[in-house]
């Protein structure tokens, strides 16, 4: 078994604090950012950053659906970490200032992959597929943050 990693990033023409607040708003904004790959979205505890417990199903391919129950933490300024209670998957969202009034968002996901030939295919194809899914989330985040200047939690 090997570590599988997927990373994608985007510059957004909105302040880092507003972008972070939109990402951390699990009870409102976050659900609007999720493309069709996500279903059964439900905030079970909290709803605003640290201490949130959120559930969703992630359909990465036609045959692969992950049932995710994520604990959210904020280990440092501008960082959200989602740890899945049902697997080894951890997704880290990092928002930093970039340029005049802009921000950069980096999404990094890791998990322990399968072994053998299945693991080879997972390590080869899963990062690209997950990257496309998170690119869609970042597109929606940019539209949300850029369309509502000054919007926060």
């Amino acid at each position: 078994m090997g570590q599988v990693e997927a990373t994608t990033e985007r510059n957004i023409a909105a302040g880092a604090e507003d972008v972070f607040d939109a990402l951390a708003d699990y009870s409102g904004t976050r659900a609007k950012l999720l493309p069709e790959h996500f279903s059964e979205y439900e905030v079970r505890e909290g709803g605003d950053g640290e201490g949130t417990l959120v559930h969703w199903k992630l359909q990465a391919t036609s045959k692969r659906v992950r049932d995710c129950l994520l604990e959210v933490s904020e280990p440092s300024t501008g960082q959200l970490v989602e740890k899945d209670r049902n697997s080894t998957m951890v997704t880290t969202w990092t928002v930093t200032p970039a340029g005049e009034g802009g921000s950069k968002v980096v999404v990094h996901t890791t998990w322990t992959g399968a072994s053998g030939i299945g693991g080879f295919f997972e390590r080869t194809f899963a990062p690209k597929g997950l990257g496309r899914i998170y690119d869609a989330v970042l597109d929606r985040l940019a539209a949300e943050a850029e369309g509502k200047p000054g919007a926060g939690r």
Side-chain angles (χ1 to χ4, degrees):
M1 292 193 282
Q3 189 80 349
V4 184
E5 298 185 39
T7 302
T8 191
E9 62 184 57
R10 167 113 187 217
N11 287 325
I12 296 177
E17 190 173 317
D18 289 339
V19 171
F20 181 83
D21 286 350
L23 276 173
D25 181 16
Y26 290 88
S27 61
T29 306
R30 183 57 86 91
K32 294 189 264 179
L33 305 179
L34 302 178
E36 65 279 359
H37 302 283
F38 294 85
S39 64
E40 298 183 29
Y41 183 91
E42 176 188 18
V43 175
R44 296 194 177 167
E45 293 175 18
D48 187 19
E50 178 87 29
T52 296
L53 182 65
V54 64
H55 171 267
W56 60 61
K57 288 192 176 177
L58 172 60
Q59 184 159 0
T61 68
S62 61
K63 295 179 183 177
R64 178 71 175 161
V65 178
R66 278 186 187 261
D67 188 357
C68 303
L69 184 59
L70 303 152
E71 296 176 350
V72 179
S73 63
E74 294 183 30
S76 63
T77 302
Q79 194 170 64
L80 283 172
V81 176
E82 301 168 344
K83 290 185 180 178
D84 186 11
R85 287 185 179 175
N86 298 332
S87 73
T88 59
M89 188 168 71
V90 176
T91 299
T92 302
W93 299 82
T94 305
V95 182
T96 54
E100 188 70 29
S103 58
K104 178 180 178 180
V105 181
V106 178
V107 186
H108 181 76
T109 302
T110 62
W111 69 94
T112 303
S115 58
I117 192 71
F120 169 78
F121 284 105
E122 183 178 20
R123 286 186 302 279
T124 302
F125 298 108
K128 291 176 185 130
L130 193 57
R132 281 192 297 274
I133 291 169
Y134 279 119
D135 279 339
V137 173
L138 292 175
D139 287 346
R140 290 172 181 214
L141 174 62
E144 180 76 18
E146 293 168 0
K148 296 183 180 177
R153 300 190 233 190

